[in-house]
Amino acid sequence: MDGIPSLAELEERIDIVDWYALGLQLKLNPKKLEAFRVESATVAEGRRKMFSCWLENSENPTRRELITKLNTHSVGQNRLAEEYECYVINQGETFITSTFSSRKYFMQVIR
């Protein structure tokens, strides 16, 4: 749960239409989110930009944090949070997570 998801994983598993509200809960800059909204031709494109921003700029963007934020009242994606949590649990010991440290990207295998 405390691993960092990949952008591909988020794009595949977190199909949320109101990505703006989720971005606010993830403490992303509202001006950046608004720029993503204006620049993006599709919901999927805006969502991808939001997740990319979160992964690159958050101190510790974990699956647990994402699940918690999906469950907040303002986001209201309890079922999606539950499905994602089940997915994470079922992946078990083979998760590959990314860790950002000193602006360098490392791959870490969780066993």
Side-chain angles (χ1 to χ4, degrees):
M1 286 295 188
D2 292 320
I4 299 172
S6 68
L7 182 57
E9 175 186 322
L10 296 174
E11 287 182 295
E12 180 182 336
R13 296 287 168 185
I14 309 298
D15 187 18
I16 183 171
V17 174
D18 191 4
W19 55 265
Y20 186 93
L22 178 58
L24 290 174
Q25 287 297 310
L26 293 169
K27 297 185 179 7
L28 298 178
N29 184 318
K31 289 182 181 180
K32 279 189 179 185
L33 294 173
E34 189 57 39
F36 297 158
R37 185 183 288 184
V38 170
E39 297 168 352
S40 302
T42 64
V43 169
E45 183 181 357
R47 184 174 52 236
R48 181 177 35 78
K49 288 178 181 181
M50 182 273 296
F51 279 134
S52 181
C53 182
W54 177 58
L55 290 170
E56 292 172 8
N57 297 301
S58 179
E59 190 173 304
N60 190 25
T62 65
R63 292 178 179 96
R64 183 181 312 277
E65 179 185 14
L66 179 58
I67 291 166
T68 299
K69 300 306 183 186
L70 285 167
N71 274 313
T72 61
H73 179 72
S74 61
V75 177
Q77 292 291 321
N78 303 54
R79 183 178 177 133
L80 181 58
E82 184 178 317
E83 290 171 0
Y84 184 58
E85 185 173 16
C86 287
Y87 164 76
V88 170
I89 291 168
N90 288 331
Q91 293 305 303
E93 300 179 355
T94 59
F95 253 128
I96 297 177
T97 63
S98 58
T99 304
F100 290 90
S101 176
S102 301
R103 302 190 69 82
K104 292 183 181 178
Y105 184 81
F106 296 94
M107 296 303 289
Q108 172 184 2
V109 177
I110 306 268
R111 294 189 191 259

